[in-house]
Amino acid sequence: MTAYILNLVVLISIYAILSTTLNFIIGYAGIFSLAHAVFFGIGAYTSAFVAMNLTPSFFVAIPIAMVLAALTSLALALPALRVRGEYFVAASLGLQMLAVTLFSEWKGFTGGIGGVIGIPPVEIFGFALVKPWHFLILTLVCLALVIAIIQRLVHTSFGRSLKSIRDSESAALAAGKNITVIKTLSVVLSSSLTALAGGLYAFYMAFINVESFMLATSVLVMAMVIIGGTGTILGPIVGAALLMLLPGALSYLSFLPQTEIGSIQQIIYGSAMVLLMIYRPGGIVSPKTRGEAA
Amino acid sequence: MLLLQLILNGLQVGAIYALTAAGFSLIFGSTKIFHFAHGATFTIAAYLFHYALTNLGLHWTLGVAMAAGGAVLFGILLDRFMYAPIQRHEGSFFTVFVASFGIGIVVENVIGMVFGRSFISVSTSLSRSVELLPDLYVSPLVGLAVLTSLVCFVAVHMFLMHTHAGMALRALSENTELVKTFGLSPRRLSAYAFALGSVLVVPAAIFTASSSGLNPAVGHHVMLISLAATIVGGIGSIRGAAFAGLLIGMVENVALWQVGTQWSEALTFAVLFFFIIFRPSGFFGRAAVS
């Protein structure tokens, strides 16, 4: 039982990093990305590759993964963010589809459909984290760090510029903000932190394949952010916890066909997204007034 | 000969993409609603057609009628009960997109639970290919797909140019306030746009079901094509979306000469990315870079 709970908490924390970083661009910058799982995947595959071929050190594998994800996101964001918001949705959807093909075809790096097996445990200053307990602490520290970084940024002038762009792009432009640069920076930052979650995931599972990095994951993380509440610190974490607990909770309801749990879960969060948008667009944890969350 | 074969396939796929993209572009252009559930409309139409022919054993005309009825009903119901309430209080890009996306997830999974997640295809007497020239296999569907889409485009063009409702729709895409001032109801016009846009995917869904087949997750692919074609063609231009759809279908198929089928989505992305970098306003669009 403790092992089960431990496992769940680690996974929730990893997904909370994903939803927090996605919330940073959706909730504060107003950019909709359907490619979040791509950066998660780049982080995971890169960390696995470095760990197996170079060193399993946390402080080597994770930074390399973050830089790679940052560069990829830069290549996507720089052209796509110059234009209207719809362009980024389209471009990120395209990138997500392309990445799934790439992850399943590039056998030398990703192991193809079969994935990467036997990723060594992560090492911190030469100390290998083998026990789940240790890993839980590492994950929680990373989550806290990510939240702190984003919380800190939101309250700087950069964060205020972001929010002003989200609320009115023309007003921000008139105030002399370089919209493209600010938006691009936020995407690059968010993607590199996403790669951190990917690295943690790879080290924790010791096995990764393309299944974890498909469009369904991007959609799941987006649902976490939206159901929890965009533009808040707590919202995405609540969303991540809720949606990660859902499959377990559903499997207690024995009248549901067990093979369809995945579909039922998706139907539930799909409908939740529709109903929330009609009745409470701010999500569960929504700011006091609607105007703030727009 | 292989190249000719691929060009013919490209023509068929391109005609299908053109119809799908034109439907999305029509809805997006006139109502400004980012109708991500357009892919779900496609899936519903295709599965209704499949159900009518395979499970009920109906004549294909009834199948087409069922698919068209289902698609139009779905489009109008979404407009009436989802987009209208959202637009009443705010209707930012965010809320509309998320709700539309959510309904897409629901439809994909409900269909998956009812019909299973594996590939389906409807075999008709028209799907069978005949050897037209040595090593050149052509099924009558190719001609039919191209012909149908031409007929559809002429019909849409006539509707938009020569009927009152069509002119009002074009006016709606220009200026909603002015349309209201003239005493027309944007809500009713929006219902027209959804009916028309949704019916345009029906032939595309049927041709896909009877040629290459599809599964419940096809909606995302449909959306990628529609979005890419709308951008490549220029936002707000139905003609542009249609040409871009044709272009993407062609590129995907002709490229099979050199690369494997798994790369088709990568090629769509490449075309889209090329346009975003070098001509973000698309073929016929107005300048879009801020």
Side-chain angles (χ1 to χ4, degrees):
Chain A
M1 194 64 195
T2 33
Y4 175 77
I5 293 175
L6 216 61
N7 176 45
L8 204 57
V9 175
V10 171
L11 287 180
I12 288 177
S13 311
I14 290 175
Y15 273 89
I17 298 179
L18 289 181
S19 59
T20 305
T21 50
L22 183 63
N23 177 45
F24 180 63
I25 54 173
I26 290 186
Y28 295 105
I31 301 166
F32 293 87
S33 169
L34 287 172
H36 215 56
V38 175
F39 305 113
F40 184 44
I42 292 175
Y45 283 122
T46 312
S47 308
F49 189 81
V50 172
M52 293 174 76
N53 296 298
L54 196 64
T55 160
S57 167
F58 183 85
F59 297 105
V60 177
I62 299 285
I64 294 179
M66 287 172 72
V67 168
L68 225 71
L71 290 177
T72 315
S73 70
L74 188 66
L76 171 75
L78 213 50
L81 284 174
R82 288 181 307 155
V83 272
R84 305 165 43 161
E86 296 87 357
Y87 282 59
F88 194 80
V89 176
S92 64
L93 178 63
L95 179 69
Q96 173 67 59
M97 303 247 185
L98 167 68
V100 170
T101 314
L102 213 56
F103 288 160
S104 11
E105 295 291 321
W106 191 5
K107 298 201 170 57
F109 187 62
T110 66
I113 300 272
V116 185
I117 307 165
I119 302 162
V122 65
E123 280 176 19
I124 289 185
F125 301 124
F127 175 73
L129 298 184
V130 208
K131 291 214 170 90
W133 268 114
H134 299 155
F135 204 86
L136 175 69
I137 294 167
L138 176 68
T139 317
L140 288 176
V141 168
C142 288
L143 174 62
L145 212 65
V146 168
I147 294 173
I149 291 173
I150 286 176
Q151 176 81 290
R152 194 76 212 95
L153 267 179
V154 167
H155 291 103
T156 59
S157 75
F158 180 73
R160 283 190 296 274
S161 306
L162 270 186
K163 279 186 268 186
S164 73
I165 290 174
R166 178 196 67 188
D167 293 334
S168 169
E169 216 163 277
S170 33
L173 191 67
K177 303 289 176 198
N178 190 333
I179 294 180
T180 311
V181 169
I182 293 173
K183 278 182 157 182
T184 306
L185 272 179
S186 69
V187 170
V188 169
L189 181 85
S190 153
S191 307
S192 58
L193 290 175
T194 310
L196 164 66
L200 287 172
Y201 184 77
F203 283 123
Y204 180 66
M205 303 301 276
F207 158 73
I208 46 170
N209 73 355
V210 65
E211 298 258 317
S212 317
F213 314 114
M214 304 220 272
L215 181 62
T217 309
S218 288
V219 173
L220 176 69
V221 177
M222 177 171 268
M224 288 171 176
V225 174
I226 284 152
I227 290 173
T230 50
T232 60
I233 295 294
L234 202 58
I237 301 167
V238 171
L242 273 181
L243 288 190
M244 292 304 283
L245 292 172
L246 194 60
L250 285 175
S251 58
Y252 278 109
L253 303 174
S254 49
F255 59 88
L256 294 174
Q258 296 299 310
T259 49
E260 299 287 357
I261 291 286
S263 295
I264 294 170
Q265 184 203 7
Q266 291 198 24
I267 290 173
I268 291 176
Y269 67 67
S271 335
M273 281 158 83
V274 176
L275 294 175
L276 278 173
M277 285 311 109
I278 297 178
Y279 298 108
R280 194 179 163 83
I284 294 176
V285 183
S286 69
K288 296 126 281 176
T289 55
R290 182 66 202 99
E292 264 178 69
Chain B
M1 213 32 79
L2 177 62
L3 190 61
L4 193 59
Q5 174 85 61
L6 291 173
I7 290 177
L8 276 175
N9 293 356
L11 213 55
Q12 182 189 356
V13 174
I16 289 173
Y17 286 176
L19 283 171
T20 326
F24 177 78
S25 179
L26 177 77
I27 294 174
F28 186 52
S30 55
T31 65
K32 305 285 180 296
I33 288 174
F34 194 77
H35 184 44
F36 206 87
H38 194 60
T41 316
F42 182 97
T43 321
I44 289 177
Y47 271 85
L48 277 176
F49 183 71
H50 163 73
Y51 182 71
L53 263 71
T54 316
N55 298 47
L56 301 178
L58 297 175
H59 190 252
W60 65 270
T61 43
L62 287 171
V64 172
M66 261 177 78
V72 170
L73 193 69
F74 180 71
I76 292 181
L77 285 180
L78 277 193
D79 179 45
R80 179 84 190 70
F81 294 106
M82 193 169 85
Y83 296 129
I86 290 175
Q87 287 199 317
R88 203 169 299 142
H89 50 77
E90 189 199 12
S92 64
F93 171 68
F94 163 79
T95 31
V96 170
F97 168 67
V98 171
S100 191
F101 198 80
I103 206 79
I105 299 173
V106 173
V107 168
E108 176 188 335
N109 284 284
V110 169
I111 289 183
M113 281 172 78
V114 177
F115 294 98
R117 303 193 158 271
S118 47
F119 253 79
I120 57 142
S121 70
V122 184
S123 71
T124 63
S125 51
L126 293 176
S127 322
R128 210 168 304 119
S129 295
V130 283
E131 196 170 5
L132 209 63
L133 287 169
D135 285 329
L136 180 69
Y137 293 88
V138 183
S139 88
L141 275 182
V142 179
L144 207 57
V146 174
L147 203 66
T148 314
S149 55
L150 280 178
V151 170
C152 286
F153 284 121
V154 171
V156 169
H157 183 78
M158 297 296 267
F159 173 77
L160 286 178
M161 292 299 162
H162 299 293
T163 66
H164 283 289
M167 281 185 250
L169 268 186
R170 284 191 292 137
L172 185 68
S173 69
E174 295 283 332
N175 192 332
T176 316
E177 290 307 311
L178 207 57
V179 165
K180 275 190 207 158
T181 319
F182 275 95
L184 294 164
S185 151
R187 282 254 45 90
R188 168 179 291 174
L189 288 176
S190 167
Y192 286 153
F194 271 88
L196 192 62
S198 302
V199 94
L200 277 181
V201 302
V202 173
I206 289 172
F207 284 124
T208 307
S210 15
S211 54
S212 53
L214 71 158
N215 66 359
V218 76
H220 298 297
H221 178 73
V222 170
M223 271 328 290
L224 175 61
I225 300 294
S226 303
L227 284 177
T230 303
I231 288 174
V232 170
I235 287 185
S237 165
I238 298 173
R239 186 171 46 137
F243 277 122
L246 189 63
L247 171 75
I248 292 171
M250 265 311 194
V251 169
E252 269 186 11
N253 278 278
V254 172
L256 291 182
W257 206 20
Q258 297 296 336
V259 299
T261 41
Q262 68 271 32
W263 294 101
S264 71
E265 272 161 349
L267 285 163
T268 310
F269 181 74
V271 172
L272 170 66
F273 217 63
F274 179 85
F275 270 83
I276 287 184
I277 293 175
F278 295 107
R279 191 169 166 73
S281 52
F283 294 155
F284 302 116
R286 298 162 193 168
V289 177
S290 51

Coordinates of all heavy atoms in Angstrom, one line a residue, chain A residues 188-219:
Chain A
V188 N 10.2 29.2 -24.3 CA 11.5 28.5 -24.1 C 11.7 28.1 -22.7 O 12.1 27.0 -22.4 CB 12.7 29.4 -24.6 CG1 14.0 28.8 -24.2 CG2 12.6 29.6 -26.1
L189 N 11.4 29.0 -21.8 CA 11.6 28.7 -20.3 C 10.7 27.5 -19.9 O 11.1 26.6 -19.3 CB 11.2 29.9 -19.5 CG 11.4 29.7 -18.0 CD1 12.8 29.9 -17.6 CD2 10.4 30.6 -17.2
S190 N 9.4 27.6 -20.3 CA 8.4 26.6 -20.0 C 8.9 25.2 -20.5 O 8.9 24.2 -19.9 CB 7.1 26.9 -20.5 OG 6.3 25.8 -20.8
S191 N 9.4 25.2 -21.8 CA 9.8 23.9 -22.4 C 11.0 23.3 -21.7 O 11.1 22.1 -21.5 CB 10.1 24.1 -23.9 OG 9.1 24.8 -24.5
S192 N 12.0 24.2 -21.3 CA 13.1 23.6 -20.6 C 12.8 23.0 -19.3 O 13.3 22.0 -18.9 CB 14.3 24.7 -20.5 OG 13.8 25.8 -19.8
L193 N 11.8 23.7 -18.5 CA 11.4 23.1 -17.3 C 10.6 21.8 -17.5 O 10.6 20.9 -16.6 CB 10.6 24.2 -16.5 CG 11.4 25.3 -15.9 CD1 10.5 26.3 -15.3 CD2 12.5 24.9 -14.9
T194 N 9.9 21.8 -18.6 CA 9.2 20.6 -18.9 C 10.1 19.4 -19.1 O 9.9 18.3 -18.7 CB 8.4 20.8 -20.2 OG1 7.6 22.0 -20.1 CG2 7.4 19.6 -20.5
A195 N 11.3 19.7 -19.7 CA 12.3 18.7 -19.9 C 12.8 18.1 -18.6 O 13.2 16.9 -18.5 CB 13.5 19.2 -20.8
L196 N 12.8 18.9 -17.6 CA 13.2 18.5 -16.3 C 12.2 17.4 -15.8 O 12.7 16.3 -15.3 CB 13.2 19.6 -15.3 CG 13.2 19.3 -13.8 CD1 14.5 18.7 -13.4 CD2 12.9 20.6 -13.0
A197 N 10.9 17.6 -16.0 CA 9.9 16.6 -15.7 C 10.2 15.3 -16.5 O 10.1 14.2 -16.0 CB 8.5 17.1 -15.9
G198 N 10.6 15.5 -17.8 CA 10.9 14.3 -18.6 C 12.0 13.5 -18.1 O 12.0 12.3 -18.0
G199 N 13.1 14.2 -17.7 CA 14.2 13.5 -17.1 C 13.9 12.7 -15.9 O 14.2 11.6 -15.7
L200 N 13.1 13.4 -15.0 CA 12.7 12.7 -13.7 C 11.9 11.4 -14.1 O 12.1 10.4 -13.5 CB 11.8 13.6 -12.9 CG 12.5 14.8 -12.2 CD1 11.5 15.7 -11.6 CD2 13.5 14.2 -11.1
Y201 N 11.0 11.6 -15.1 CA 10.1 10.5 -15.5 C 11.0 9.3 -16.0 O 10.8 8.2 -15.6 CB 9.2 11.0 -16.5 CG 8.2 10.0 -17.0 CD1 7.0 9.7 -16.2 CD2 8.3 9.3 -18.2 CE1 6.1 8.7 -16.6 CE2 7.3 8.4 -18.6 CZ 6.3 8.1 -17.8 OH 5.3 7.2 -18.2
A202 N 12.0 9.6 -16.8 CA 12.8 8.6 -17.4 C 13.6 7.8 -16.3 O 13.6 6.6 -16.3 CB 13.8 9.2 -18.4
F203 N 14.2 8.6 -15.4 CA 14.9 8.0 -14.3 C 14.0 7.2 -13.4 O 14.4 6.1 -12.9 CB 15.7 9.0 -13.5 CG 16.9 9.5 -14.2 CD1 17.1 10.9 -14.5 CD2 17.9 8.6 -14.6 CE1 18.2 11.3 -15.1 CE2 19.1 9.1 -15.2 CZ 19.2 10.5 -15.5
Y204 N 12.8 7.7 -13.1 CA 11.9 7.0 -12.2 C 11.4 5.7 -12.8 O 11.4 4.6 -12.2 CB 10.8 7.9 -11.9 CG 9.8 7.3 -10.9 CD1 10.2 6.9 -9.6 CD2 8.5 6.9 -11.3 CE1 9.3 6.3 -8.7 CE2 7.6 6.3 -10.4 CZ 8.0 6.0 -9.1 OH 7.2 5.4 -8.3
M205 N 11.0 5.7 -14.1 CA 10.4 4.6 -14.7 C 11.4 3.5 -15.1 O 11.1 2.4 -15.2 CB 9.6 4.9 -15.9 CG 8.5 5.9 -15.7 SD 7.2 5.4 -14.5 CE 6.2 4.4 -15.5
A206 N 12.7 4.0 -15.4 CA 13.8 3.2 -15.9 C 13.4 2.6 -17.3 O 14.2 1.8 -17.8 CB 14.2 2.1 -14.9
F207 N 12.2 2.9 -17.8 CA 11.8 2.5 -19.1 C 10.9 3.5 -19.7 O 10.0 4.0 -19.0 CB 11.1 1.1 -19.0 CG 10.2 0.8 -20.2 CD1 10.8 0.4 -21.4 CD2 8.8 1.0 -20.1 CE1 10.0 0.2 -22.5 CE2 8.0 0.7 -21.2 CZ 8.6 0.3 -22.4
I208 N 11.2 3.9 -21.0 CA 10.3 4.9 -21.6 C 10.0 4.4 -23.0 O 10.9 3.8 -23.7 CB 10.9 6.3 -21.6 CG1 12.3 6.3 -22.1 CG2 10.7 7.0 -20.3 CD1 12.9 7.7 -22.4
N209 N 8.8 4.7 -23.5 CA 8.6 4.5 -24.9 C 7.6 5.6 -25.4 O 7.1 6.4 -24.6 CB 8.1 3.1 -25.3 CG 6.7 2.9 -24.9 OD1 6.1 3.7 -24.2 ND2 6.1 1.7 -25.2
V210 N 7.4 5.6 -26.7 CA 6.7 6.7 -27.3 C 5.2 6.9 -26.7 O 4.7 8.1 -26.7 CB 6.6 6.6 -28.9 CG1 5.8 5.4 -29.3 CG2 6.1 7.8 -29.6
E211 N 4.7 5.9 -26.2 CA 3.3 6.0 -25.6 C 3.1 7.1 -24.7 O 2.0 7.7 -24.6 CB 3.0 4.7 -24.9 CG 3.0 3.4 -25.8 CD 1.6 3.0 -26.2 OE1 0.8 3.0 -25.3 OE2 1.4 2.6 -27.3
S212 N 4.2 7.4 -23.9 CA 4.0 8.5 -22.9 C 4.1 9.9 -23.4 O 3.8 10.8 -22.7 CB 5.1 8.3 -21.8 OG 5.3 7.0 -21.5
F213 N 4.5 10.0 -24.7 CA 4.7 11.3 -25.2 C 3.9 11.7 -26.4 O 4.3 12.4 -27.3 CB 6.2 11.5 -25.6 CG 7.1 10.9 -24.5 CD1 7.9 9.8 -24.7 CD2 7.1 11.5 -23.2 CE1 8.7 9.3 -23.7 CE2 7.9 11.1 -22.2 CZ 8.7 9.9 -22.4
M214 N 2.7 11.0 -26.5 CA 1.8 11.3 -27.6 C 0.9 12.4 -27.4 O 0.8 13.0 -26.3 CB 1.0 10.0 -27.9 CG 2.0 8.8 -28.2 SD 1.5 7.8 -29.5 CE 0.5 6.6 -28.7
L215 N 0.1 12.7 -28.4 CA -0.9 13.9 -28.2 C -1.8 13.7 -27.0 O -2.1 14.7 -26.3 CB -1.8 13.9 -29.5 CG -2.8 15.1 -29.6 CD1 -2.1 16.4 -29.5 CD2 -3.6 15.0 -30.8
A216 N -2.1 12.4 -26.7 CA -3.0 12.2 -25.5 C -2.4 12.8 -24.2 O -3.1 13.4 -23.4 CB -3.2 10.7 -25.3
T217 N -1.1 12.8 -24.1 CA -0.4 13.3 -22.9 C -0.5 14.9 -22.9 O -0.8 15.5 -21.9 CB 1.1 12.9 -22.9 OG1 1.1 11.5 -23.0 CG2 1.7 13.3 -21.6
S218 N -0.3 15.5 -24.1 CA -0.4 16.9 -24.2 C -1.8 17.3 -23.8 O -2.0 18.3 -23.1 CB -0.2 17.4 -25.7 OG 1.2 17.3 -26.0
V219 N -2.8 16.6 -24.3 CA -4.2 16.9 -24.0 C -4.5 16.7 -22.5 O -5.1 17.5 -21.9 CB -5.1 15.9 -24.8 CG1 -6.6 16.1 -24.4 CG2 -4.9 16.2 -26.3

